[in-house]
Amino acid sequence: MNRKKALALLTATAMMATSMGCGAAEETAESGETQSTQEEKQDSTESTQEASKAPETEETTGLSYTTLNLDDYKDFTASIKFLHHKTDREADGTIASMIAEFNKEFPNITVTTEAVTDYAEDSLLRLSTGDWGDIMFIPAVDKTDLATYFMPLDTLDNLSQELNFVDNWQFDNVCYGIPYMANAQGVLYNKKVFKEAGIEVLPQTPDEFIEDLKLVKEKTDAIPLYTNYAAGWTMGAWDAYVGIVSNGDNTYLNQKIVHTAEPFSDPGDGTGAYNLYKILYDACSEGLIEDDYTTTDWEGCKGMLNRGEIATMVLGSWAYAQMQEAGDTPEDVGYMPFPMSVNGTQYVNAGGDYNYAINVNSSEENKTASLVFVKWMVEKSNWCYNEGGYTVVKGGQNPDMYSAFDGCEVLSDQPAVAGEETYLNDMNAESELSINAGGNAKVQRIVEAGANGSESFDDIMTDWNAVWQAAQEELGIEVKY
Amino acid sequence: MKKKRTFTEWIRSRDGQQVLVMFAFMVIPLLLLFIFTYLPFAKMFGFSFYNMKYVGVRKFVGLKNYIKVFQRDDCFGALKLSLYYMLGSIVQLALALYLATILSFKVKGGNLFKGFMFFPFLINGIAIGFIFKFFYTRGFVFDTVLQWCGFNLENLPYWLKDQRINNFSLVGTSIWRYFGQNMVLFIGAIMSVDSELYEAAMLDGANRFQQFKYIIMPSIKTIITLNVILSITGSLSAFEPPYVITDGANGTGTYFVVMHEIAHTQQKVGLASAMAIVLLIIIFIATILQKLFFKYVFRSAEDEDPRAGARRQKMLERSIRNQERIAARGGK
């Protein structure tokens, strides 16, 4: 008996010891790795600073997006794998038909695909294991880590002459990602319901919008504003209007907000993040939303908007095509700029969706084939247009849905200042507000407070300002504004 | 005189073969246990001392994460929600025990009922979440059924929106899912009770409730203890119903849901790991407390029993002696 116990104890301790040993060993190895990559990065920044004319891409691989000529690779042979998040397009065969089209021109490049449902989270885990294939859509990584995982595609200067919205994933003037489509941020509405309610001119300010929602409630049976509270991420979609849409400043979101002491204070002129979220709060407190917001149904709401049971939904343009497909009256689905005007002008934020990126650790052949595929997808697949996206290729054709955007100022967010690329991510994580990065819970809180009257709107905004300032202090980020 | 054996001789001998077989059988499960349980746990324990994301640079911060866990309102505030689930688990166990007792006697269609009641446990938790999302939606299944019973829709609460009752709604789904499993465990235990005991009890005039109290309960107390401990610790780590049905919003975010949010949305992996370790310690404490509690409760019952038996024995002996005395007198 005693001997058995002793044996068990011994094995247990042995196992503990080995596990600790493993953990410690790997830890040091990893930290060593990161240190070395950091050093490399420092070196590379120095070298680029010294010789800024020579693009870094040519030094390392010789491949670059703009110099690549698709016609040179007709007989190129390789087998590559593409990891993406469009499970619906994988299921309905869109991806497969695009690849078939691709293979007509490049018969020897085999492309396998894998669609991941919970992409934002799972792809990060896959990325950390390194086992994900050759092409993926960039998940939320820090910009300093881009070079560790992805191949540089081209310099920002070269790429931005041909394509829009390529500055999302650039670091030190080198681009690591190209968006597969771009979205413009506006509001979905049902044209028939608006007509029934007697709304002829689309609202341009928060006050007009709330008035229109009240009209919808009075004169029609439709739900004025569907929050999609239960789905969660649909609430986080409100964050997309912070910045350009709410103050007309395309440097605000990526450069200024991290240095702003009170980003959620009322500027007093009906603009800013304060008045943006106040629309939602007011709509909730005045009963202009669905009866039971906790049981909203994302799949069901598409058809409801199409049929005119919902008047408006605040979502990016990517949702437009899905709403049209969901019912028999696609012609009733409309898209309008967000009802907020800065000095009389409505601003529209357009920006890239997920970005293609190529594995830095793939073989040279696979890197080449991947770049060929990415270039073909961006320029020849028409995927962006078919999804109702704002064009990625400069001068490309825009879908009809953007007709209401005539007369609006279309801007895209400027990249962060050099050396401050990680600030917004750091601030988002530290403050847990996660602006534009899955901060669903904070917007849900507005709905709860508005509908139950449990908190005043100003209290919530004061609270957000407080956590924002605490995060600035914690991270040592200077307050400038 | 013991002959010294070489290793090969020893391994061929009976003793050696025994050890070899034991080792061969043990090594695979132990290896799996180590790789999938202890190694990740040790890693997580390590993570809890770092300020880190899934990717990127890690910074050692010592006990700072643990201090934060105790300072934040949302971490321990979320533990209060566990009280709802604990309450639910008591209801669940009582219900399971009641039904198990009834079904362990001869009931018409007993197996059918057992099957029906066990069925929810077989459904995937995520699917159950979706079922109940629609079940509780305004004017959907639950409201319709209640309207058949004569309730007016205006008088019915919003099952998931009203913060006073939405946690009870969620606990309801968890009861529905798990009581069947508890019931089957109880039935299994009750089956092992010697049926002669019931017969004897019936001859003595014991009714069903007395049979339950004096025969079934004492016989299955081990399995009851186990179920209570599992349910209470399980309610500390409730996750699926709030995560799937309400996404942890509207005041239903349990400790696990908050942890998930911190680990995956905010990407504070170190803090979330520290939360997990703290929860582990809390569960340890809760389990030990329950063990002590049950030990106390059942020991006092056991302590009483032998003495009571002895007393009965004495009474019996006395009465026999009296009878003998009477008989002796009568014989005179």
Side-chain angles (χ1 to χ4, degrees):
Chain A
M1 192 60 196
N2 267 334
R3 250 170 63 196
K4 268 186 196 164
K5 263 188 188 168
L7 196 73
L9 202 69
L10 203 73
T11 33
T13 41
M15 273 160 65
M16 286 297 274
T18 44
S19 67
M20 294 296 189
C22 283
E26 279 177 36
E27 218 91 298
T28 46
E30 275 160 26
S31 57
E33 236 175 55
T34 42
Q35 267 176 11
S36 66
T37 46
Q38 268 183 336
E39 278 163 22
E40 272 171 36
K41 244 172 264 156
Q42 276 176 357
D43 289 346
S44 68
T45 47
E46 277 164 22
S47 65
T48 43
Q49 273 163 3
E50 279 166 23
S52 56
K53 278 178 199 166
E56 196 189 25
T57 49
E58 282 174 22
E59 287 173 6
T60 48
T61 62
L63 277 174
S64 82
Y65 182 90
T66 44
T67 55
L68 182 98
N69 186 357
L70 284 182
D71 294 333
D72 297 345
Y73 295 93
K74 295 282 183 203
D75 302 323
F76 199 78
T77 307
S79 180
I80 54 176
K81 188 179 162 192
F82 175 31
L83 188 75
H84 64 93
H85 69 290
K86 299 294 281 186
T87 44
D88 48 345
R89 296 297 174 224
E90 180 86 24
D92 69 11
T94 310
I95 303 258
S97 68
M98 282 192 290
I99 289 171
E101 202 64 33
F102 173 75
N103 280 342
K104 278 182 195 163
E105 288 185 53
F106 305 94
N108 298 328
I109 300 180
T110 317
V111 185
T112 47
T113 60
E114 183 185 344
V116 178
T117 307
D118 203 353
Y119 191 81
E121 282 175 20
D122 288 355
S123 59
L124 269 180
L125 298 176
R126 295 282 289 271
L127 190 62
S128 60
T129 65
D131 173 31
W132 50 269
D134 304 290
I135 306 169
M136 85 186 296
F137 285 133
I138 306 182
V141 296
D142 281 340
K143 290 194 173 170
T144 42
D145 295 328
L146 280 172
T148 326
Y149 300 112
F150 303 116
M151 179 186 109
L153 298 177
D154 210 328
T155 61
L156 180 62
D157 300 338
N158 288 344
L159 213 52
S160 55
Q161 282 170 11
E162 293 185 15
L163 304 175
N164 293 320
F165 317 116
V166 287
D167 45 20
N168 234 4
W169 292 111
Q170 65 90 26
F171 188 78
D172 279 340
N173 211 26
V174 176
C175 292
Y176 295 88
I178 293 169
Y180 81 99
M181 64 178 273
N183 294 309
Q185 306 300 339
V187 177
L188 286 160
Y189 72 106
N190 186 294
K191 292 176 184 169
K192 200 176 74 192
V193 174
F194 266 45
K195 204 176 275 173
E196 277 173 28
I199 303 162
E200 279 158 16
V201 184
L202 292 173
Q204 296 190 343
T205 63
D207 291 343
E208 285 173 21
F209 187 57
I210 294 287
E211 285 308 312
D212 288 345
L213 293 181
K214 283 180 184 163
L215 276 179
V216 170
K217 194 183 182 184
E218 270 171 38
K219 297 190 178 171
T220 70
D221 295 331
I223 299 165
L225 173 72
Y226 198 73
T227 62
N228 258 318
Y229 171 96
W233 56 268
T234 39
M235 295 260 69
W238 279 78
D239 291 346
Y241 307 90
V242 176
I244 292 170
V245 174
S246 59
N247 59 19
D249 185 348
N250 62 358
T251 58
Y252 185 75
L253 187 64
N254 289 333
Q255 297 177 8
K256 290 187 183 152
I257 194 168
V258 292
H259 296 295
T260 307
E262 295 184 335
F264 304 104
S265 295
D266 186 7
D269 57 356
T271 65
Y274 178 93
N275 288 295
L276 161 70
Y277 294 117
K278 193 158 194 309
I279 294 176
L280 181 62
Y281 186 88
D282 288 346
C284 294
S285 64
E286 307 218 11
L288 300 171
I289 58 165
E290 61 272 30
D291 192 25
D292 182 0
Y293 54 79
T294 47
T295 51
T296 58
D297 171 24
W298 163 244
E299 291 304 327
C301 83
K302 298 177 189 173
M304 286 166 76
L305 185 93
N306 191 303
R307 291 190 297 270
E309 291 162 30
I310 293 172
T312 63
M313 275 200 283
V314 177
L315 283 173
S317 61
W318 55 267
Y320 180 82
Q322 295 189 20
M323 301 295 154
Q324 282 197 317
E325 286 164 17
D328 302 327
T329 51
E331 66 278 3
D332 286 345
V333 181
Y335 203 61
M336 63 175 172
F338 195 81
M340 191 171 268
S341 299
V342 184
N343 298 326
T345 310
Q346 272 183 294
Y347 285 88
V348 174
N349 183 4
D353 201 290
Y354 268 112
N355 278 233
Y356 297 105
I358 297 170
N359 195 341
V360 72
N361 297 318
S362 289
S363 67
E364 281 306 307
E365 283 157 29
N366 281 13
K367 277 183 188 168
T368 314
S370 299
L371 193 63
V372 169
F373 182 69
V374 168
K375 188 160 183 165
W376 187 88
M377 286 294 276
V378 170
E379 296 180 2
K380 299 204 170 168
S381 70
N382 258 342
W383 198 14
C384 173
Y385 181 85
N386 294 339
E387 292 281 341
Y390 211 86
T391 178
V392 172
V393 180
K394 279 222 154 97
Q397 196 191 355
N398 267 331
D400 298 334
M401 58 177 283
Y402 294 107
S403 55
F405 286 62
D406 290 344
C408 298
E409 190 85 23
V410 179
L411 296 174
S412 68
D413 284 316
Q414 290 300 300
V417 179
E420 296 186 358
E421 284 91 347
T422 64
Y423 278 23
L424 184 59
N425 274 357
D426 294 345
M427 282 293 289
N428 269 338
E430 189 60 40
S431 67
E432 292 179 21
L433 290 179
S434 297
I435 298 168
N436 243 339
N440 313 330
K442 72 169 193 298
V443 187
Q444 285 177 325
R445 179 177 163 195
I446 294 179
V447 175
E448 288 158 27
N452 301 329
S454 52
E455 282 177 288
S456 81
F457 183 68
D458 285 331
D459 285 349
I460 300 177
M461 289 299 120
T462 312
D463 186 33
W464 289 7
N465 278 331
V467 293
W468 194 252
Q469 282 164 7
Q472 279 166 336
E473 206 164 295
E474 174 77 30
L475 297 168
I477 290 176
E478 192 193 343
V479 176
K480 292 180 190 165
Y481 305 101
Chain B
M1 180 77 196
K2 222 177 174 184
K3 201 179 74 182
K4 244 196 170 179
R5 289 186 295 189
T6 62
F7 182 73
T8 26
E9 272 173 349
W10 178 77
I11 206 89
R12 281 190 192 140
S13 74
R14 192 180 165 77
D15 287 355
Q17 289 287 303
Q18 250 177 0
V19 170
L20 193 69
V21 168
M22 209 166 72
F23 182 77
F25 275 103
M26 289 284 280
V27 74
I28 292 171
L30 279 182
L31 202 68
L32 290 175
L33 189 70
F34 169 72
I35 292 173
F36 292 105
T37 305
Y38 293 111
L39 184 65
F41 177 77
K43 273 277 196 185
M44 188 185 76
F45 188 65
F47 289 164
S48 69
F49 298 105
Y50 284 85
N51 184 357
M52 59 174 277
K53 296 178 180 179
Y54 285 104
V55 291
V57 191
R58 292 167 189 180
K59 202 175 102 196
F60 186 80
V61 291
L63 287 173
K64 220 171 153 191
N65 284 327
Y66 289 90
I67 294 166
K68 268 189 199 159
V69 171
F70 287 96
Q71 279 173 344
R72 289 170 64 115
D73 298 334
D74 54 352
C75 295
F76 276 86
L79 273 182
K80 280 183 213 144
L81 294 184
S82 301
L83 293 176
Y84 287 100
Y85 290 86
M86 283 182 197
L87 201 67
S89 66
I90 291 167
V91 173
Q92 173 188 323
L93 288 173
L95 189 69
L97 196 55
Y98 175 71
L99 290 168
T101 313
I102 289 177
L103 287 173
S104 60
F105 296 115
K106 278 203 179 84
V107 183
K108 267 182 195 155
N111 278 329
L112 195 72
F113 282 118
K114 272 183 226 167
F116 277 141
M117 284 186 268
F118 185 65
F119 178 65
F121 182 68
L122 300 174
I123 310 176
N124 179 304
I126 306 292
I128 289 181
F130 279 104
I131 293 171
F132 276 94
K133 202 169 177 175
F134 291 109
F135 184 77
Y136 286 130
T137 301
R138 187 75 171 164
F140 275 41
V141 189
F142 196 33
D143 288 350
T144 315
V145 171
L146 287 176
Q147 274 171 303
W148 288 342
C149 303
F151 285 93
N152 209 334
L153 187 62
E154 275 94 67
N155 300 332
L156 291 174
Y158 289 81
W159 301 107
L160 295 175
K161 185 175 154 189
D162 191 337
Q163 297 202 356
R164 281 166 302 179
I165 57 162
N166 57 6
N167 279 307
F168 288 111
S169 307
L170 295 180
V171 170
T173 68
S174 152
I175 294 177
W176 180 79
R177 182 175 178 200
Y178 288 109
F179 88 89
Q181 184 221 13
N182 287 340
M183 186 189 76
V184 167
L185 285 177
F186 284 141
I187 290 175
I190 292 171
M191 290 292 189
S192 65
V193 177
D194 191 353
S195 60
E196 282 175 16
L197 285 173
Y198 299 125
E199 268 170 48
M202 251 170 345
L203 287 177
D204 284 350
N207 62 22
R208 288 288 195 209
F209 180 71
Q210 285 165 330
Q211 285 183 25
F212 172 74
K213 194 177 168 195
Y214 294 108
I215 300 175
I216 297 178
M217 272 281 266
S219 318
I220 62 167
K221 67 183 180 206
T222 343
I223 203 92
I224 293 177
T225 317
L226 179 76
N227 267 330
V228 170
I229 288 176
L230 285 180
S231 305
I232 299 278
T233 47
S235 56
L236 282 169
S237 49
F239 178 68
E240 274 172 5
Y243 182 67
V244 182
I245 301 176
T246 59
D247 200 18
N250 209 14
T252 61
T254 56
Y255 192 86
F256 250 55
V257 175
V258 172
M259 199 161 81
H260 171 83
E261 167 93 6
I262 287 175
H264 294 121
T265 309
Q266 322 295 358
Q267 298 226 358
K268 293 184 175 175
V269 181
L271 181 60
S273 302
M275 279 181 80
I277 301 282
V278 170
L279 182 67
L280 180 78
I281 294 167
I282 292 171
I283 288 179
F284 268 147
I285 294 171
T287 313
I288 291 168
L289 283 179
Q290 287 180 74
K291 277 257 178 199
L292 289 175
F293 174 75
F294 282 114
K295 216 172 177 183
Y296 174 75
V297 168
F298 285 127
R299 184 191 281 156
S300 59
E302 275 163 13
D303 281 353
E304 197 199 41
D305 273 340
R307 250 180 278 146
R311 246 177 284 142
R312 267 196 298 273
Q313 191 70 26
K314 245 180 238 169
M315 295 245 297
L316 204 70
E317 280 167 17
R318 210 178 295 157
S319 69
I320 290 169
R321 245 178 283 144
N322 279 344
Q323 275 174 347
E324 278 172 357
R325 225 174 288 156
I326 291 163
R329 264 188 228 148
K332 229 182 214 174

